[in-house]
Amino acid sequence: MICSVLKRKESIKSVTPAKGLTIISKLRTTLHENMEKLLMVWVTEKKLQGDTLTQTIICEKARAIYGDLLKQTPQTSIDEASEESFKASRGWFENFKKEERYSLRCQTW
């Protein structure tokens, strides 16, 4: 693990932390931020249409948006994100809900 960190030293140093963060604990790129913004727009549209959204549906959409953004973004190094690097895990989903200040009383997810 230390070896891989040392190999990626320059790319880690070049990462800009997300707004409001003071410590980079993971490689969170602007790609992730853009994906979450687009996902939030999609979620809002679906809520206005009266659609039911589950964690599974939202995570699938997040992976799809991430993949689309990744295809549109020119990669400059091997160390950059890949489609497999974003899993839309339960932990990611919980953090996404917290960051977006969702109320579980108003949501089905």
Side-chain angles (χ1 to χ4, degrees):
M1 179 149 154
I2 293 173
C3 246
S4 62
V5 171
L6 291 174
K7 286 179 187 176
R8 297 173 51 184
K9 178 178 163 181
E10 293 307 314
S11 65
I12 291 171
K13 282 182 176 181
S14 68
V15 171
T16 305
K19 185 177 177 183
L21 293 180
T22 56
I23 298 173
I24 301 173
S25 59
K26 292 186 179 180
L27 290 177
R28 182 171 171 81
T29 63
T30 55
L31 190 65
H32 287 91
E33 288 183 28
N34 292 339
M35 179 273 300
E36 289 181 357
K37 287 176 188 175
L38 290 171
L39 181 63
M40 193 56 231
V41 169
W42 179 82
V43 167
T44 303
E45 287 175 354
K46 290 296 183 184
K47 283 174 40 182
L48 290 173
Q49 294 171 1
D51 293 347
T52 301
L53 296 174
T54 64
Q55 177 179 340
T56 303
I57 292 169
I58 293 171
C59 287
E60 284 175 7
K61 185 63 174 181
R63 283 189 291 271
I65 293 171
Y66 185 83
D68 290 344
L69 287 175
L70 193 61
K71 289 173 188 169
Q72 296 171 9
T73 305
Q75 294 185 333
T76 57
S77 77
I78 298 170
D79 293 330
E80 289 192 32
S82 69
E83 204 161 341
E84 293 81 34
S85 69
F86 177 67
K87 304 285 187 221
S89 64
R90 186 176 351 147
W92 168 83
F93 181 73
E94 292 301 321
N95 288 332
F96 176 70
K97 286 194 312 186
K98 286 178 193 173
E99 289 169 11
E100 299 301 332
R101 295 184 180 101
Y102 289 123
S103 168
L104 290 177
R105 289 176 284 137
C106 300
Q107 309 295 326
T108 59
W109 41 284

